[in-house]
Amino acid sequence: MRDDTRASNTGANQSLYIEFDAHTPPLRFLCAGFKDALLYANGEQYSVMLTPINLAHTYTTRSSIPDVNPAEHAIIPAPKSIRHQPGYFVLSPTTPLLAVDTQALPAAQWLSNELIRLYPDADIALDPRHQDAMTGDHAIILRPLPDTVLRDIEHRDEAYQLTVTDQGVVIQACTDRGFIHGCASLLQLCQEEETRLRLPAIKISDAPRFGYRGMMLDCARHFHSVDTVKRLINQLAYFKFNTFHWHLTDDEGWRLEIKALPELTRYGSQRGPNTRLAPQFSHIAERHEGYYRQEEVRDVIEYAAARGITVIPEIDIPGHCRAAIKALPDWLHDTNDRSTYRSVQHYTDNVLSPALDGTYRFLDTVLSEVAELFPASWVHIGADEVPDGVWTDSPVCRDRRAHGETTASLQGQILTYAEQKLRALGKRMVGWEEVQHGDKVSKNTVIYSWQSEEAALHCAQHGFDVILTPGQTTYLDMVQDYAATEPGLDWAGVTPLEKAYQYEPLASLASDDPARDHMLGVQCALWSELITNQDRLDYMVFPSLPPLQKQHGAKANAVIGSITWPG
Ligand code: ACM
């Protein structure tokens, strides 16, 4: 909101009146107003009292949850096949927890930890053990799923069967992930009866509908502690997500230790008074800071792996790079470039230059460390929202334009370099929708399509593999109701819970359309401009996250019933 500012000193009561005109679409939510303000005068800093924004266009609509019958047992996402039976298995302090397959040990450990954490007063003492024998009386047994069962199952590596009778529990799978999913269903089924835990008799056969099921967390706009990140990853495991996409860098913060370039975190991880990055979003009189040391990253990766979750890092280039540019001006600031541009977030200096050697040295150094640190085979390179007007007044880029290059193809030059570098490091490059603008990157690049499903389809029809993450339904930072007080942003719309449930990926695409083969999965995302604390993060994530996990096309009735959110 910097478009037009008028100020007049009223004199009599010494107050200052400031009026802003912003050329935006109609504002409907109080969150659209200023979050925080400071006044600097004569070298002094004065706090400012903010009144709520005066909204002229609030919605009168309210969301309403449709009337549906409760499910007998609420499991989210709804399993492929579920058969209820009479009776219960009651856990006791002597119930053995046996992993017949060593691949099942992490899942058994997770199950034990979670039951003890969630039900500290329960009469249980689950101590996971490896055992060769296939049976055990009144036990919870994790054992291999026979090949004959798996033969015709799509995404069989994540399939599982869960059988509960009054005699015991059997979870069968063929990978560590399959066992985790079986344990996740068991955790959702668990019922507390005074100090006893019981499980309803049931038979579940389940396998994912999409091979990729992700959640992105932005840790750049506001930093989230390792504990917060782990807490979320643990929750993702309950809902059978298999990917955590870690947005580590952006204009307002660089959050990943790069040992060869300590400046990146020394200067790029702090913003506020007396730092290189101007205050933003919240608490602007204070310094906001934080980054992840490499040993912390390894710890998070290991924690996630023990829950069947792969961690994909995102280093967002060439736009959204203000923190990096301010931290490493000698490498990344092009003093010859007089271009004027303004990014969606109003920055005029946040794009890497294809004309600088430093850009490529930066990419070599950062991507080499990232590739070594993260075992995931994919690295997300961002590529979103490079503003119009960029590189138009850079002498080198002007020459290249004279030879037919456009802004998109210049961006493509940087991204092709990154792609080749990543390939040499054994990684596949993935990026936001705009990564294929300029037609330079290879079809091996995976596209995260965020602007619409039509855009996803367009990319798939052009031969790219795609992850669906349409902002209109899967962006968890969008408001969840029409009330003006509802927290969140609304540029992509309002996403009430029923919309999250009703979102059916690729609903309009014929079942035999070849583009379907390119649709690898679905992801939801939480951008953190407004996420200043754990409560706000939880508020935005739940209850929408589980139904957005379109593993099996969860139905609305699966949510009704008692589900304990894993705290
Ligand atoms: C994005 O939302 N800019 C990927």
Side-chain angles (χ1 to χ4, degrees):
M1 289 200 184
R2 303 170 189 174
D3 304 23
D4 180 17
T5 307
R6 274 166 276 151
S8 64
N9 198 331
T10 58
N13 59 7
Q14 299 287 299
S15 68
L16 187 66
Y17 172 77
I18 303 180
E19 184 182 299
F20 291 90
D21 289 343
H23 304 290
T24 70
L27 301 177
R28 298 174 183 270
F29 294 94
L30 293 171
C31 267
F34 289 99
K35 319 300 176 277
D36 202 355
L38 261 190
L39 193 62
Y40 287 94
N42 303 327
E44 296 283 328
Q45 188 171 298
Y46 300 92
S47 58
V48 174
M49 187 177 281
L50 287 169
T51 54
I53 189 170
N54 199 359
L55 298 169
H57 292 275
T58 50
Y59 284 103
T60 50
T61 323
R62 290 286 181 276
S63 52
S64 59
I65 303 283
D67 237 0
V68 289
N69 294 326
E72 191 165 350
H73 298 298
I75 296 184
I76 301 177
K80 266 194 162 155
S81 148
I82 181 163
R83 230 177 36 238
H84 304 283
Q85 273 144 0
Y88 292 91
F89 175 67
V90 180
L91 278 72
S92 80
T94 57
T95 303
L97 175 53
L98 305 174
V100 175
D101 183 338
T102 50
Q103 289 193 92
L105 272 171
Q109 189 63 60
W110 182 60
L111 177 65
S112 158
N113 291 351
E114 288 301 294
L115 285 175
I116 290 166
R117 184 177 72 86
L118 290 174
Y119 306 104
D121 300 327
D123 245 348
I124 51 171
L126 291 165
D127 186 16
R129 271 189 291 129
H130 178 238
Q131 173 178 301
D132 288 332
M134 293 290 273
T135 54
D137 244 4
H138 291 268
I140 301 175
I141 300 173
L142 286 76
R143 61 177 161 83
L145 193 56
D147 285 347
T148 44
V149 177
L150 288 167
R151 202 169 295 135
D152 299 323
I153 297 180
E154 218 186 338
H155 305 303
R156 72 193 68 160
D157 53 325
E158 296 194 57
Y160 72 93
Q161 288 189 353
L162 168 64
T163 310
V164 181
T165 67
D166 58 3
Q167 298 302 301
V169 177
V170 177
I171 298 172
Q172 290 169 278
C174 62
T175 63
D176 47 356
R177 267 195 182 155
F179 285 114
I180 289 280
H181 299 334
C183 291
S185 288
L186 190 155
L187 285 164
Q188 288 193 21
L189 284 170
C190 208
Q191 301 170 0
E192 199 173 18
E193 228 196 18
E194 293 176 1
T195 59
R196 296 186 329 160
L197 289 187
R198 65 178 201 182
L199 294 160
I202 208 162
K203 169 127 189 149
I204 293 175
S205 298
D206 203 3
R209 173 176 162 198
F210 289 109
Y212 179 108
R213 306 175 305 279
M215 156 95 198
M216 187 218 75
L217 180 67
D218 167 14
C219 293
R221 271 55 179 277
H222 282 104
F223 178 72
H224 307 300
S225 69
V226 167
D227 283 349
T228 294
V229 170
K230 283 183 167 177
R231 184 175 186 272
L232 179 64
I233 288 172
N234 196 48
Q235 290 166 334
L236 295 178
Y238 271 76
F239 301 106
K240 307 187 179 85
F241 284 76
N242 65 7
T243 308
F244 175 64
H245 167 176
W246 205 352
H247 184 80
L248 287 163
T249 71
D250 215 303
D251 294 319
E252 300 86 356
W254 182 282
R255 308 283 174 215
L256 176 65
E257 178 185 30
I258 299 294
K259 289 193 189 283
L261 292 173
E263 301 89 336
L264 282 171
T265 42
R266 185 179 309 139
Y267 302 113
S269 71
Q270 310 179 344
R271 68 166 186 264
N274 305 317
T275 71
R276 294 190 186 182
L277 297 176
Q280 285 289 345
F281 308 128
S282 69
H283 306 94
I284 64 177
E286 298 154 28
R287 193 175 279 203
H288 180 80
E289 62 188 319
Y291 70 89
Y292 306 102
R293 286 180 288 117
Q294 291 197 359
E295 65 195 70
E296 291 174 317
V297 170
R298 278 190 210 96
D299 178 39
V300 168
I301 291 168
E302 195 179 313
Y303 181 91
R307 286 154 183 77
I309 291 175
T310 300
V311 180
I312 295 179
E314 181 184 348
I315 305 295
D316 199 350
I317 62 149
H320 289 280
C321 271
R322 190 166 190 274
I325 294 170
K326 295 294 169 192
L328 277 178
D330 293 347
W331 283 22
L332 302 179
H333 176 57
D334 187 353
T335 48
N336 295 320
D337 187 352
R338 303 265 176 256
S339 312
T340 54
Y341 59 85
R342 187 176 283 258
S343 74
V344 181
Q345 289 83 7
H346 298 283
Y347 295 110
T348 55
D349 52 1
N350 73 337
V351 187
L352 297 181
S353 168
L356 289 181
D357 288 345
T359 296
Y360 302 98
R361 265 186 283 143
F362 164 78
L363 290 177
D364 285 346
T365 313
V366 170
L367 295 181
S368 298
E369 283 197 32
V370 165
E372 190 168 336
L373 185 57
F374 289 85
S377 57
W378 292 8
V379 172
H380 201 296
I381 205 70
D384 55 326
E385 298 182 321
V386 171
D388 286 343
V390 72
W391 310 315
T392 45
D393 213 353
S394 134
V396 175
C397 294
R398 246 197 330 259
D399 284 353
R400 292 190 190 163
R401 280 178 198 277
H403 289 92
E405 299 290 354
T406 60
T407 299
S409 67
L410 286 169
Q411 151 161 332
Q413 282 179 10
I414 301 182
L415 295 171
T416 308
Y417 187 89
E419 184 183 13
Q420 285 164 359
K421 178 75 193 172
L422 286 170
R423 191 177 299 135
L425 292 164
K427 303 290 182 183
R428 184 174 184 184
M429 184 171 84
V430 308
W432 298 112
E433 209 166 298
E434 300 94 317
V435 74
Q436 38 87 37
H437 290 179
D439 249 350
K440 295 257 179 174
V441 300
S442 81
K443 292 287 193 287
N444 196 42
T445 308
V446 182
I447 310 291
Y448 284 56
S449 167
W450 62 279
Q451 304 198 47
S452 64
E453 268 206 16
E454 293 76 62
L457 198 52
H458 174 86
C459 293
Q461 283 162 345
H462 284 79
F464 287 100
D465 285 341
V466 175
I467 304 295
L468 296 156
T469 179
Q472 297 81 1
T473 35
T474 67
Y475 272 20
L476 295 163
D477 48 320
M478 294 301 121
V479 279
Q480 298 168 47
D481 195 277
Y482 297 92
T485 49
E486 190 65 24
L489 303 174
D490 71 324
W491 60 264
V494 178
T495 314
L497 183 60
E498 70 271 24
K499 192 167 155 195
Y501 265 93
Q502 283 158 3
Y503 170 50
E504 176 54 40
L506 310 173
S508 57
L509 195 62
S511 59
D512 58 351
D513 192 309
R516 275 188 186 268
D517 293 342
H518 285 296
M519 303 294 184
L520 303 186
V522 184
Q523 173 161 295
C524 28
L526 182 63
W527 297 99
S528 288
E529 289 92 336
L530 304 182
I531 312 298
T532 50
N533 58 52
Q534 186 71 57
D535 282 353
R536 179 52 59 86
L537 190 150
D538 289 346
Y539 185 91
M540 300 313 287
V541 168
F542 291 104
S544 296
L545 178 91
L548 281 170
Q549 206 285 63
K550 294 295 170 185
Q551 180 167 243
H552 313 297
K555 297 287 191 301
N557 64 359
V559 79
I560 315 295
S562 66
I563 272 234
T564 312
W565 301 132

